[in-house]
Amino acid sequence: MNVLIIGAGSAIAVATARLYAARGCSLFLVARNTQRLEELAKDLEVRGAAKVGQHTLDVLEHDKHAEAVSTAREFLSSVDIALICHGSLPDQAITETDFAAARRELDVNGLSVISLITLLSALMKEQGAGTLAVVTSVAGDRGRQPNFVYGAAKSMVSTYLQGLRGRLLPHGVHVIDIRPGLVDSPMTARFEKGVLWSTPELVAGNIVKAIDRKRHTVYTPGYWRIIMAIVRSIPDVVFKRLKF
Amino acid sequence: MQLSGWGNYPAVQADVLAPASAAELQSLLAHNAYGNWICRGGGRSYGDSALNGRVVSSRYLDHFLDIDEDAATVRCGSGVSLGQVLEVVIPRGLFPPVLPGTKHVSIGGAIAADIHGKNHHVEGSFCDHLESFSLLLADGSILRCSAAENAGLFHATCGGMGLTGIILDATLHLNKVSSVSINNRSFSAKNLQHCLELLDEHNAATYVVAWLDCLKQGEDLGRGIVYVGDHGDDDNLQLVKRRGLSVPFHTPGFFLNRFTMSQFNNLYASWNKGRGDTTLQNYEQFFFPLDSIGNWNRLYGRKGFLQYQVLVPTEAKDILSRIIRRVAESGQGSFLSVLKKFGKANNNPLSFPSAGYTLTLDFRWRESLFPLLDELDALVLGCGGRHYLAKDARLSESGFKTGYPRWQEFMQVKAEVDPHNRFASLQSQRLGLTPVSTSHSSHKKAGPDK
Ligand SMILES: Cc1cc2nc3c(=O)[nH]c(=O)nc-3n(C[C@H](O)[C@H](O)[C@H](O)COP(=O)(O)OP(=O)(O)OC[C@H]3O[C@@H](n4cnc5c(N)ncnc54)[C@H](O)[C@@H]3O)c2cc1C
Ligand SMILES: NC(=O)c1ccc[n+]([C@@H]2O[C@H](COP(=O)([O-])OP(=O)(O)OC[C@H]3O[C@@H](n4cnc5c(N)ncnc54)[C@H](OP(=O)(O)O)[C@@H]3O)[C@@H](O)[C@H]2O)c1
C-alpha cells in the first residue's frame, strides 16, 4: 500500500503515518519543515515502512502544488491513499478585523486544500483507483463565535468533498471527510483540556479504520457525531447568544 | 492544569508545556531564564517526582533515530515508550533486557529512575544496558553522556530523577531472543519463609517475582505465589495487540480490594487445582498484566493511593515479615504486594536496586496512613534499606539521605551542571535535593503535607 500524506508534520498525521509504517506501507511525506520531515522519515523507516520519501512544501504556494504531487507519484508509482492533514487554528479576533489574516487562514485551511484535492482527483481518476481522505473539522458543522473563520474554511472543504465524492465514484476513487473533535496537539496547546479531548493516536486509529472500511463522513472520536447533531439543531435565536 | 503522578496523590496546578521538537525545547529553556522545571515522560511514577508548578513534557520527543540489528541497539527520543520500543524490536528478534510492570513508561523515565524488572538478579537495571544518551543542560547546551564520556554526569543522570537535565534521546542495548513467549511456572508459597526459599531456589531463572497476600496473618503470613519465567523455545516473534478495558472514571476506593482479591483467589485456587502450574504466556500477559485495564489507578478513588516500595538488604530479611505483619495488623494495606530479589547494585549514586529484597505495597490514601508509613520507614532505614524514589510521595529528607548515603556525590554533579537549580520537582524539594522554591504556587489537594 502506498500512502501520500500532506501536512505530514501534524501530530495527527504523524500518528497516522506510524500506523501505516507498522503495516509495512511505502510513504511519501509532504510538509513545510524540512528538518522535521527528515526526522520523521527515519522514524517511519525504523517503525517498519517499506520506503519513505519526502518533499518540502508551504501549502500557501499554490504554484508548487503540482510539483509536490508529481514527485509523490514518481516516488510511489501509484498513490493508493492520499491524506491531507495540514491546517492552522488562528486567533479568531485577529481574523475578524484583519482581512489579510482571514484570507491567509481561509487559504491554509480551505483553498490550498482544494487546490491539492484538484490535483489528487485528477491523478486518482487516471489511476482508476485510490482513496482521498481529507481532515476537516467539527468546526465546519456550524459557525461558532470562537472560530468561525477556521470553521468557514473547513466547511468549504466538507461541502466540496460532498459533491466530489459522487463525481469520482464512477472512477473507482473513494472520498472521505474526517472531522476530528477536540484533539490535544500542538495546534491546541494553549487550551485547557477537559473530558471531551482525545489524542492524536486515537484519532489516527480512527482515520486508518475509516480508510480501511471506506467510510464517508467520519467524526472522530465517534461521539462528536452526536454532539454536533445537537449543536446543529439549536435554533438560531438561541445559538446567536452562545459564546462557546 | 491539575496534574498528578500515577497514584493521583499529590495533585497540583501545573503549567505543562509540550515542545514539538528538541530545538523548541532548547529555546523554551533559553527564553525562560528563571524559575524551575521538571521533565515528565509517561507520568507512571506514582508520587511527585514528575510534578512541579512548571512541567515540560517529552511527548513529542518520540522519534526513533536508528536501529542496528547486528549490534542489537536502538536509538530513540526520550519520549518513546517501552511499548513502542517493543513494537519495533520484537519482529527483529530483539528484546529489552529490562522491563517494568507497565509498557507506558518512557525511555527518559526509565533512565531517570534506573528502573528494574523481574530479572534484576540476571540483568541489573535499565541503565546497565544504556550505551549513551544526550542531555539538555540548564545552560542550553547538549552533552552526549556514556560510561566513558562525561561519566560523572552519566551516572548521576541514571537514577537522577530528571534533576541533572532533560534527556533528549538515548541508545539502548537489546538482547537477541528467539521467542518472546514466556514459559511461566508458578509455585505456591505457604508463608513468607517458604516464599524466600523459592526465590532463592529459582535464582537461575530469568524472571522471578512473588505476589504476596498481605491480609494473612499468623502462620500463613506472607502466603503467596512465586512466578518463574524464561523465554520459550517456540520461535514466537509475534507482536501482541491487546485492546483492554479501561476504567472511565474514579470509582469509590473500596472497589479495588474486591477486584484484586478475587483475581488473586482465582489464581490461588487454580494453582491448587494443579492448573496454572506451567503456562506459555505472551509477553504482555507476563510483563504487563495491569496494562490490560486502562487507568486502573482510578479504582482507588479520587483521593488516590500511595505505593510504598522499599529495599531490605539480604542480611536483614527478617524485617520483611515485620513490615508485612505491621501492615496486616493495621488493616490499611491493599491486599496484594510484590516481592522480588535484587542482584548487586550498580555504580549510580541514586539508583535504587541493591543486593536484597524489594517489597511493594499499595495503600489507598487516607490520613491515618502517614503515621503507619513513618513507622515502616523506621524499620526499613534501621536495617540499611531505602525507598524507591519513583514511587515515593512522602518520604522525609532525612529518610532519603539515610537510605541513599551517596546523595552528596549526586549533589556535587548537580551543582556543576545546574548551579541555579533550573531542574527541580516537588519531590526534590521535599528530599532536600533542591531548595524549596517559592517562585510558583502549587496547590496540593487531598490531605495534609507530610
Ligand atoms: C503499573 C506500574 C508498574 C511499574 N513497575 C515497575 C517496575 O517493575 N520496576 C520499576 O523500576 N518501576 C516500575 N514502575 C515505575 C516506573 O517504571 C517509573 O516510575 C518510571 O520512572 C516511569 O517513567 P515515566 O516515563 O512514566 O516517567 P514520569 O513518571 O513522567 O517521570 C519519572 C521521573 O523521570 C524523570 N524523567 C522523565 N522523562 C525524562 C527525561 N526525558 N529526561 C530527564 N528526566 C526525565 C522525571 O523528571 C521524573 O523524575 C511501575 C509503574 C507503574 C505505574
Ligand atoms: N487539534 C484539534 O483539536 C483539531 C480538531 C479538528 C480538526 N483538526 C485538524 O486536524 C489537522 C491536523 O492538526 P493537528 O491537530 O495535528 O495540529 P498540528 O500538529 O498543529 O498540525 C498542523 C500542521 O499543519 C501544518 N501547516 C500549517 N500551515 C502550513 C503551511 N502553510 N504549509 C504547510 N503546512 C502547514 C503545520 O506545519 P508546521 O509544523 O510546519 O507548522 C502542522 O504540521 C488540521 O487540519 C486541523 O485543522 C484538529
Side-chain angles (χ1 to χ4, degrees), chain A residues 94-170:
Chain A
I94 295 173
T95 55
E96 274 172 43
T97 49
D98 173 355
F99 177 65
R103 177 152 68 187
R104 195 171 53 245
E105 294 304 329
L106 292 168
D107 192 349
V108 174
N109 293 300
L111 288 175
S112 72
V113 179
I114 289 175
S115 157
L116 288 158
I117 294 175
T118 307
L119 293 161
L120 290 165
S121 307
L123 183 159
M124 289 188 169
K125 252 196 223 164
E126 207 183 304
Q127 291 181 168
T131 297
L132 178 59
V134 183
V135 178
T136 62
S137 171
V138 295
D141 277 28
R142 191 162 192 185
R144 293 181 295 111
Q145 290 191 36
N147 64 3
F148 60 83
V149 170
Y150 173 77
K154 292 291 191 182
S155 70
M156 165 163 70
V157 175
S158 288
T159 307
Y160 188 96
L161 293 173
Q162 283 161 14
L164 182 71
R165 184 173 292 126
R167 267 282 192 269
L168 293 181
L169 179 66

Side-chain angles (χ1 to χ4, degrees), chain A residues 43-112:
Chain A
D43 174 67
L44 295 172
E45 273 167 19
V46 174
R47 289 181 196 255
K51 58 174 186 172
V52 188
Q54 77 227 39
H55 184 86
T56 310
L57 173 73
D58 184 325
V59 294
L60 290 174
E61 300 182 63
H62 297 184
D63 55 338
K64 299 200 171 137
H65 288 191
E67 187 200 343
V69 171
S70 67
T71 316
R73 182 182 205 175
E74 225 164 89
F75 182 85
L76 294 174
S77 53
S78 75
V79 180
D80 303 318
I81 297 167
L83 175 69
I84 302 180
C85 209
H86 66 268
S88 89
L89 185 59
D91 183 332
Q92 171 66 24
I94 295 173
T95 55
E96 274 172 43
T97 49
D98 173 355
F99 177 65
R103 177 152 68 187
R104 195 171 53 245
E105 294 304 329
L106 292 168
D107 192 349
V108 174
N109 293 300
L111 288 175
S112 72

Side-chain angles (χ1 to χ4, degrees), chain A residues 11 14 18 22 35-36 39-40 42-48 184-186 189 192-193 199-201 205, chain B residues 1-2 13-14 16 18 20-23 59-60 62-67 74 80 84 87-88 92 241:
Chain A
V14 168
R18 286 174 176 166
Q35 199 201 329
R36 294 211 56 206
E39 242 177 57
L40 182 58
K42 186 69 207 178
D43 174 67
L44 295 172
E45 273 167 19
V46 174
R47 289 181 196 255
D184 180 4
S185 76
E192 274 283 317
K193 314 288 187 298
T199 61
E201 289 74 23
Chain B
M1 64 185 280
Q2 170 115 329
Q13 280 302 318
V16 183
S21 64
R59 70 180 275 208
Y60 294 119
D62 63 347
H63 288 76
F64 281 94
L65 304 169
D66 204 6
I67 184 155
V74 64
V80 169
Q84 292 182 313
E87 282 177 29
V88 158
R92 295 167 158 108
K241 292 268 177 214

Side-chain angles (χ1 to χ4, degrees), chain B residues 120-177:
Chain B
H120 186 269
H121 60 292
V122 181
E123 295 282 6
S125 52
F126 193 83
C127 298
D128 296 333
H129 305 274
L130 196 56
E131 184 171 293
S132 62
F133 53 75
S134 55
L135 188 68
L136 175 61
L137 298 181
D139 67 5
S141 62
I142 296 175
L143 272 191
R144 196 86 203 154
C145 304
S146 69
E149 192 181 352
N150 300 308
L153 186 52
F154 176 81
H155 290 294
T157 303
C158 295
M161 302 310 285
L163 300 174
T164 55
I166 297 178
I167 301 157
L168 299 177
D169 62 70
T171 305
L172 322 172
H173 284 287
L174 303 158
N175 287 340
K176 294 188 179 173
V177 295

